[in-house]
Amino acid sequence: MIVLDGKIASQSVKDSLKQQVADLMEAGKRAPHLAVIIVGNNGASETYVASKVKNCAEIGFTSTLIRLESEIDENVLLLQIEALNNDAGIDGILVQLPLPKQINEQKVIEAIDPAKDVDGFHPVNVGKLVQGLPTFISATPFGIMLLLEYYKIETKGKHAVVIGRSNIVGRPMSILLSSNSKFGNCTVTICHSHTANLKEICLQGDIIVAALGKPEFVKADMVKAGAIIIDVGITRVEDATAKKGFRIKGDVAYDEVAAKASAITPVPGGVGLMTIAGLLKNTLQAYHDRS
Ligand code: GUN
């Protein structure tokens, strides 16, 4: 059994990006610039945003963090996005989700210039992904593909079971795994809350991507011996014995499933770190596309 280590794989991506930025600097060019907007102070979002900013600095990107109050009117956010769309010095724009209830997430996603949409959430970019055209791939599915590539996981002809159909992970993941590409060519089944016989379907999976947001949902008796397990879950579960008062749990019961799998991502230290690698790659791509 191998542990698919997001720390090692993401570092490899970041080392390459850092070198590319150093080359740009040496050629007298400006650094790629990511703008991150956070609305309110959701604890998990704060952590993710801080990590994105820190990782930008590590590889030599410029980043700007814009903080908006949780009570703001939707228009305030839309005007902020418009300003960033029109700012020639900004390559990528990321609005951390979820947003407060008074703000329409879809409207916000569609307000971002598709050329700066490094999250790959804009319908234009999702449409390109579906058609197999070059685009910004949503950072988590992109990161998972980079992880499969780093560990040279053979995917062709395998049955991949994706649990979860979110726009951010499950749906784009299913498209990538079924695409005619080096780490695609799977036969894909997408499962969701209305799927009948979920356990039987999971048992047929050579690859399982668990992205439903339910801690330790995937148990050993749902997994075929030798399966490859990708755990996208990152739920905070209260735990008074933990320093922060919570622990991060994945969607997979790690110990029992690891005993049966041929490869598995840990949580934390797996897919989460790859998400950042995907985002950074998208940002450099946006920079080059716009230069
Ligand atoms: N919230 C959870 N995941 C993501 C992500 O990949 N991008 C953004 N913008 N918000 C998120």
Side-chain angles (χ1 to χ4, degrees), residues 58-188:
E58 262 174 46
I59 62 163
F61 284 7
T62 307
S63 69
T64 298
L65 176 58
I66 297 157
R67 292 182 166 279
L68 299 172
E69 299 288 330
S70 63
E71 300 78 19
I72 55 150
D73 193 76
E74 184 180 270
N75 275 328
V76 174
L77 178 55
L78 294 174
L79 284 171
Q80 179 65 74
I81 292 169
E82 195 185 339
L84 294 169
N85 283 342
N86 294 328
D87 184 339
I90 297 288
D91 300 296
I93 303 169
L94 181 153
V95 179
Q96 188 65 30
L97 304 178
L99 290 167
K101 280 195 257 331
Q102 78 276 16
I103 299 176
N104 180 333
E105 260 177 29
Q106 191 59 25
K107 213 164 159 185
V108 169
I109 287 167
E110 292 186 26
I112 297 172
D113 178 349
K116 297 189 178 187
D117 168 38
V118 287
D119 256 329
F121 293 167
H122 194 288
V124 165
N125 288 323
V126 177
K128 287 183 178 175
L129 177 71
V130 171
Q131 297 198 344
L133 301 171
T135 185
F136 301 117
I137 304 167
S138 175
T140 299
F142 189 18
I144 293 170
M145 298 309 282
L146 293 170
L147 188 69
L148 297 175
E149 186 178 339
Y150 181 83
Y151 282 98
K152 301 185 174 58
I153 303 276
E154 179 64 60
T155 54
K156 189 164 65 180
K158 294 208 168 136
H159 182 191
V161 176
V162 177
I163 315 173
R165 57 180 163 184
S166 70
N167 286 340
I168 295 185
V169 184
R171 213 179 287 278
M173 196 68 238
S174 67
I175 292 161
L176 289 165
L177 286 170
S178 63
S179 70
N180 186 0
S181 63
K182 185 124 189 265
F183 295 93
N185 287 315
C186 288
T187 301
V188 178

